[in-house]
C-alpha cells in the first residue's frame, strides 16, 4: 500500500508539474500580449509632461478593451493639450495686453510730465506758453481718460458684461443717430439706406457704440472734403446686415487679419494724433460677438473699406449666454 501511495503521489506531482509547465508555455504569450500593452500605456503616461502632450498611444493592439482604453487616453491627452495651449495663448495675450496698455498710458503721462517741467522752469509766467502747455496737457489727459474707459469696457465685455436686451429695429436706431453722425462727418457726404420693420433683441446702447466706432473709423480714413460714407441696413438670410462703407484710403491686405486685435493700429502716428489707441474695433467685435453676430471687412487700397455686421434672427443662444 505504501508503494502504491508513493507511486500515486509521484504520479500526481509529475502531472501537476507537467500541467504547470504546459500552462506557462501555453498562456505566456497570452499574458504577454495582454500585459505588455498595459505596461506600455503606464510607461507612456508616466513620461507625459507639458512638453509631450502631443504624444499619442498606439490604438491597434488586437484587443478591444485595451484599444478602447488607449483611445480614451488619447482623447484625454488631446483635451489636455488643447487646454494647455489655450492657457498659454491666454497668458501671452494678457502679457501683450498689459505691455501695450502700459505703453499707451506711459506716453501721455510722459508728455504731461514734460509740460509740467517746462512750467516749473518759468514758462508759467508767460501767458502764451502757459496756455499752450495747459491745452496740450488737457488733450493728453483726454486721450488717457478715453484709453482707460476703453480698457474698462473691454474688461467688462470679457468677464461679466451687463446686457439690456430690448426688442428694437436696427434701422430705427441708425435713423435716430443720423443728426449725430452728420455732425461728426462735418463736410463729408453721408448716405443712409435703411430698411425698417426688422425687430430683434438688441442692447441699444452697445449697438450705438458699434455704429459710432465704425463711423469714426471711416471718418479717420476719408478725405474731409471728398469723403463719402454710406450706412446700409438690410435683411439677409437668417438675419440682418449693417454695413458702413467709405471711399477712403483703404487697407492693405496684410493688415486685414489683425484689425480686430487690441492696440493694433495701421497708421500709428495718425491714430495717436487723433487720440486712438487701437481699441475701437476690438470693442466693436466683442459687442457683435455678445449679440451672437459676426463682423467682416473688405477693403481695396485707394478705393475704400466696407465693414459688415450680421446679426442672427435666432436670439435663443444669446439670451442663454446672458
Amino acid at each position: 500500500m505504501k508503494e502504491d501511495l508513493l507511486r500515486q503521489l509521484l504520479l500526481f506531482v509529475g502531472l501537476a508539474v507537467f500541467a504547470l509547465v504546459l500552462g506557462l508555455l501555453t498562456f505566456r504569450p497570452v499574458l504577454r500580449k495582454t500585459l505588455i500593452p498595459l505596461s506600455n500605456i503606464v510607461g507612456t503616461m508616466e513620461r507625459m509632461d507639458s512638453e509631450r502632450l502631443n504624444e499619442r498611444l498606439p490604438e491597434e493592439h488586437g484587443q478591444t478593451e485595451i484599444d478602447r482604453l488607449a483611445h480614451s487616453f488619447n482623447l484625454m491627452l488631446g483635451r489636455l493639450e488643447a487646454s494647455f495651449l489655450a492657457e498659454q495663448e491666454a497668458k501671452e495675450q494678457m502679457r501683450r495686453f498689459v505691455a501695450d496698455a502700459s505703453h499707451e498710458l506711459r506716453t501721455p503721462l510722459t508728455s504731461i510730465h514734460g509740460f509740467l517741467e517746462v512750467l516749473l522752469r518759468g514758462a508759467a509766467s508767460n501767458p502764451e506758453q502757459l496756455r499752450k502747455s495747459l491745452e496740450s496737457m488737457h488733450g493728453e489727459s483726454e486721450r488717457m481718460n478715453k484709453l482707460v474707459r476703453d480698457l474698462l469696457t473691454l474688461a467688462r465685455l470679457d468677464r461679466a458684461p451687463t446686457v439690456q436686451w430690448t426688442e428694437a429695429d436696427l434701422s430705427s436706431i441708425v435713423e435716430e443717430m443720423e443728426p449725430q453722425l452728420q455732425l461728426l462727418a462735418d463736410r463729408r457726404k453721408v448716405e443712409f439706406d435703411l430698411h425698417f420693420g426688422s425687430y430683434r433683441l438688441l442692447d441699444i446702447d452697445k449697438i450705438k457704440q458699434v455704429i459710432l466706432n465704425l463711423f469714426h473709423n471711416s471718418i479717420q480714413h476719408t478725405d474731409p472734403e471728398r469723403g463719402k460714407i454710406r450706412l446700409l441696413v438690410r435683411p439677409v438670410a437668417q438675419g440682418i446686415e449693417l454695413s458702413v462703407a467709405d471711399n477712403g484710403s483703404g487697407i492693405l491686405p496684410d493688415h486685414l487679419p489683425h484689425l480686430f486685435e487690441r492696440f493694433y493700429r495701421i497708421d500709428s502716428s495718425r491714430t495717436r494724433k487723433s487720440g486712438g489707441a487701437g481699441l475701437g474695433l476690438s470693442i466693436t467685435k466683442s459687442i457683435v460677438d455678445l449679440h451672437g453676430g459676426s463682423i467682416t471687412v473688405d477693403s481695396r487700397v485707394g478705393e475704400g473699406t466696407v465693414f459688415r455686421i450680421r446679426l442672427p434672427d435666432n436670439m435663443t443662444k444669446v439670451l442663454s449666454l446672458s
Side-chain angles (χ1 to χ4, degrees):
M1 291 178 63
K2 290 182 179 180
E3 292 178 356
D4 290 338
L5 290 174
L6 182 60
R7 284 195 301 270
Q8 291 181 7
L9 178 61
L10 293 176
L11 179 62
F12 289 146
V13 170
L15 290 175
V17 172
F18 176 76
L20 179 60
V21 173
L22 182 62
L24 288 175
L25 294 177
T26 303
F27 291 101
R28 186 177 179 183
V30 177
L31 292 175
R32 179 178 297 176
K33 185 177 181 181
T34 303
L35 295 179
I36 288 180
L38 291 176
S39 178
N40 292 336
I41 291 176
V42 172
T44 302
M45 298 305 296
E46 288 178 347
R47 295 193 307 270
M48 197 65 62
D49 54 25
S50 60
E51 302 297 329
R52 298 182 177 181
L53 289 177
N54 60 338
E55 292 187 10
R56 295 295 181 267
L57 300 171
E59 299 182 7
E60 299 294 335
H61 298 95
Q63 298 182 64
T64 304
E65 292 76 9
I66 297 180
D67 291 348
R68 290 178 60 186
L69 178 63
H71 180 69
S72 299
F73 272 120
N74 286 337
L75 292 178
M76 182 186 68
L77 290 174
R79 290 192 293 268
L80 287 175
E81 182 182 15
S83 300
F84 185 76
L85 292 176
E87 182 181 1
Q88 283 187 321
E89 179 64 21
K91 288 182 178 179
E92 179 62 21
Q93 288 181 354
M94 180 60 66
R95 187 194 64 78
R96 292 197 303 265
F97 182 79
V98 172
D100 292 338
S102 301
H103 175 74
E104 293 295 332
L105 288 171
R106 183 179 58 190
T107 302
L109 286 174
T110 302
S111 180
I112 292 174
H113 181 75
F115 284 118
L116 289 174
E117 284 187 344
V118 171
L119 293 177
L120 290 175
R121 291 175 183 173
S125 59
N126 187 325
E128 183 63 22
Q129 289 186 351
L130 177 61
R131 182 184 63 82
K132 290 182 178 179
S133 297
L134 291 177
E135 288 179 351
S136 297
M137 286 190 292
H138 180 265
E140 292 295 333
S141 64
E142 279 292 324
R143 189 161 70 87
M144 187 166 55
N145 189 28
K146 182 180 183 301
L147 174 60
V148 172
R149 289 198 305 269
D150 289 344
L151 290 174
L152 289 175
T153 299
L154 281 173
R156 286 193 295 267
L157 290 172
D158 285 344
R159 293 202 173 266
T162 56
V163 185
Q164 299 293 330
W165 296 114
T166 306
E167 190 174 3
D169 183 8
L170 183 58
S171 294
S172 299
I173 296 175
V174 177
E175 185 182 42
E176 179 184 345
M177 298 177 63
E178 181 176 351
Q180 180 183 4
L181 298 178
Q182 293 284 7
L183 182 63
L184 291 173
D186 198 11
R187 292 185 295 272
R188 298 173 181 85
K189 184 179 179 181
V190 183
E191 299 178 353
F192 295 87
D193 187 357
L194 308 178
H195 295 75
F196 296 88
S198 180
Y199 288 84
R200 59 197 8 87
L201 293 176
L202 303 170
D203 187 313
I204 296 178
D205 291 336
K206 287 182 171 58
I207 289 297
K208 286 183 177 180
Q209 185 176 4
V210 167
I211 297 171
L212 284 175
N213 287 346
L214 294 180
F215 194 82
H216 184 68
N217 184 77
S218 295
I219 290 175
Q220 285 184 324
H221 297 87
T222 53
D223 186 85
E225 300 291 340
R226 298 184 297 274
K228 294 181 181 179
I229 304 174
R230 183 171 182 261
L231 285 86
L232 168 66
V233 177
R234 61 170 184 170
V236 294
Q238 299 179 348
I240 193 169
E241 180 181 276
L242 164 68
S243 63
V244 180
D246 62 64
N247 65 340
S249 56
I251 303 171
L252 291 172
D254 293 342
H255 294 296
L256 293 178
H258 308 286
L259 285 182
F260 301 105
E261 296 178 4
R262 297 176 183 182
F263 295 105
Y264 186 83
R265 295 179 294 196
I266 299 174
D267 188 340
S268 179
S269 59
R270 178 166 55 183
T271 52
R272 188 179 297 279
K273 183 178 179 180
S274 61
L279 293 176
L281 291 178
S282 180
I283 293 175
T284 297
K285 187 179 186 305
S286 296
I287 294 176
V288 173
D289 291 341
L290 186 63
H291 283 75
S294 62
I295 180 170
T296 58
V297 55
D298 294 322
S299 184
R300 293 184 179 180
V301 178
E303 297 183 15
T305 304
V306 182
F307 285 90
R308 293 185 177 89
I309 294 174
R310 289 201 174 191
L311 300 177
D313 284 330
N314 185 8
M315 300 299 292
T316 304
K317 181 179 179 180
V318 174
L319 289 175
S320 65
L321 292 175
S322 64

